[in-house]
């Protein structure tokens, strides 16, 4: 649902949100609000917030529902569906109140987990549930906790940038993808010294472009492309022409554990 709104914001395709609006609203109505002002968990065939066993299901689920409600609220505004605003506002107010109770001195956390989860706190920022005065604490969570899968890492990076913490986002990217970049460079140039130089060049380019990256979902692809380009620049410098095919490089990238 959040993606539906993003698509509209990039394309201006009003006909698209006219098609998905009703179904999106009906879907959100499936959730009930409990006595604690948080949504009642709905089990299903794919009851899985992300990989691993440390996911804060309560905090993640409520942040997603709130985020989706905000997206539907904006769609309603575009479509003039004023009759639905009261329901959306009531639900958002309830979840916001319930989510406040999840705040601790260490970040947002439910009883599902022992420590605040990076995914839950990132989604709280993106959904608008986190207050700016809480950003400093949340930044610490996103600096020290790295539970997210590569998919959910996209939202963590986006949250860091929304908070203006570009250097922290850079450090997370480097920590996650450093091994991949180095191995790809070494695979091509066959020299540790040259691979080190390419590694440094790739992340220098990342620093220069980090505020311009608009699709964090494609960070891995961006790094692969830049690594290939830097390696080929190295080849051109020394008039070397036996570089590896892109397909082989990409296959190697898939084998790197993230």
């Amino acid at each position: 649902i959040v993606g539906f709104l993003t698509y509209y914001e990039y394309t201006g395709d009003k006909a698209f949100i006219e098609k998905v609006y009703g179904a999106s609203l009906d879907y959100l109505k499936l959730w009930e609000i409990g006595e604690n002002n948080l949504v009642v968990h709905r089990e299903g065939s794919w009851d899985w917030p992300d990989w691993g066993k440390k996911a804060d299901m309560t905090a993640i689920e409520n942040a997603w529902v709130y985020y989706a409600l905000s997206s539907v609220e904006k769609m309603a505004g575009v479509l003039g569906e004023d009759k639905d605003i009261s329901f959306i506002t009531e639900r958002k107010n309830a979840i916001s109140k319930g989510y406040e109770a999840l705040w601790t001195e260490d970040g947002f956390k439910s009883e599902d987990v022992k420590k605040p989860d990076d995914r839950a706190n990132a989604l709280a920022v993106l959904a608008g549930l986190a207050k700016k005065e809480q950003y400093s604490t949340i930044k610490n969570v996103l600096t020290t906790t790295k539970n997210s899968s590569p998919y959910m890492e996209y939202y963590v990076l986006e949250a860091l940038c929304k908070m203006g913490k570009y250097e922290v986002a850079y450090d997370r990217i480097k920590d996650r993808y450093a091994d991949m970049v180095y191995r790809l460079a070494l695979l091509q140039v066959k020299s540790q010294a040259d691979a080190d130089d390419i590694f440094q060049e790739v992340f220098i380019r990342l620093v220069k472009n980090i505020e311009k990256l608009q699709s964090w979902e494609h960070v891995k692809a961006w790094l692969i492309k830049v690594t290939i380009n830097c390696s080929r620049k190295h080849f051109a410098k020394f008039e070397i022409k036996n570089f590896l095919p892109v397909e082989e490089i990409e296959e190697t990238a898939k084998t790197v554990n993230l």
Side-chain angles (χ1 to χ4, degrees):
I1 293 174
V2 173
F4 293 162
L5 179 67
T6 301
Y7 174 80
Y8 167 73
E9 290 175 336
Y10 275 94
T11 65
D13 187 352
K14 186 177 178 180
F16 172 75
I17 58 172
E18 287 175 343
K19 291 179 181 179
V20 301
Y21 174 77
S24 298
L25 183 62
D26 289 343
Y27 179 68
L28 289 171
K29 287 181 178 179
L30 294 174
W31 270 268
E32 297 178 357
I33 300 294
E35 294 181 359
N36 59 356
N37 285 309
L38 296 172
V39 297
V40 178
H41 178 62
R42 297 179 65 248
E43 295 185 357
S45 59
W46 194 40
D47 192 20
W48 186 69
D50 195 30
W51 72 5
K53 299 180 179 180
K54 298 179 181 179
D56 191 339
M57 186 66 180
T58 296
I60 290 173
E61 184 172 25
N62 277 272
W64 272 128
V65 173
Y66 187 93
Y67 201 0
L69 283 165
S70 295
S71 297
V72 169
E73 184 177 33
K74 291 178 181 177
M75 286 190 256
V78 172
L79 300 175
E81 297 288 353
D82 298 338
K83 67 182 187 304
D84 299 323
I85 297 299
S86 60
F87 164 79
I88 296 170
T89 301
E90 181 182 344
R91 283 292 172 93
K92 286 182 64 180
N93 288 342
I95 295 173
S96 179
K97 183 178 180 180
Y99 217 86
E100 286 180 1
L102 301 182
W103 181 253
T104 72
E105 62 180 8
D106 297 319
F108 287 106
K109 185 188 79 68
S110 76
E111 295 181 355
D112 296 347
V113 292
K114 295 180 179 179
K115 296 174 58 178
D117 182 31
D118 52 346
R119 296 156 291 196
N121 281 268
L123 288 172
V125 171
L126 296 176
L129 287 163
K131 300 178 177 65
K132 288 187 177 181
E133 54 266 30
Q134 296 170 328
Y135 281 5
S136 178
T137 300
I138 292 173
K139 185 207 77 172
N140 291 336
V141 175
L142 304 188
T143 301
T144 59
T145 306
K146 297 173 182 176
N147 296 330
S148 65
S149 66
Y151 170 75
M152 287 301 295
E153 185 73 7
Y154 157 62
Y155 298 101
V156 175
L157 295 172
E158 187 178 6
L160 284 167
C161 291
K162 182 176 180 179
M163 294 189 294
K165 308 301 180 183
Y166 293 102
E167 291 185 4
V168 180
Y170 167 79
D171 288 340
R172 275 192 73 114
I173 294 172
K174 189 172 182 179
D175 179 70
R176 175 162 292 241
Y177 295 111
D179 183 55
M180 180 192 75
V181 170
Y182 182 78
R183 285 175 60 181
L184 290 180
L186 185 60
L187 178 68
Q188 296 176 89
V189 298
K190 313 298 183 184
S191 162
Q192 291 185 351
D194 292 337
D196 286 339
D197 290 342
I198 292 169
F199 178 91
Q200 294 298 328
E201 177 63 24
V202 169
F203 285 101
I204 287 172
R205 292 193 185 189
L206 178 63
V207 170
K208 292 179 179 179
N209 291 280
I210 194 165
E211 294 187 40
K212 299 177 184 177
L213 289 176
Q214 301 202 4
S215 179
W216 290 104
E217 194 172 0
H218 300 124
V219 165
K220 181 178 179 180
W222 185 90
L223 287 170
I224 292 172
K225 180 179 179 180
V226 173
T227 304
I228 292 171
N229 289 341
C230 288
S231 298
R232 290 188 171 178
K233 182 180 177 182
H234 168 83
F235 291 139
K237 180 179 178 181
F238 295 100
E239 297 184 350
I240 302 172
K241 297 182 179 181
N242 62 332
F243 48 80
L244 295 173
V246 173
E247 293 77 12
E248 185 174 339
I249 295 169
E250 291 177 341
E251 282 301 314
T252 299
K254 293 177 182 178
T255 68
V256 179
N257 293 324
L258 301 176

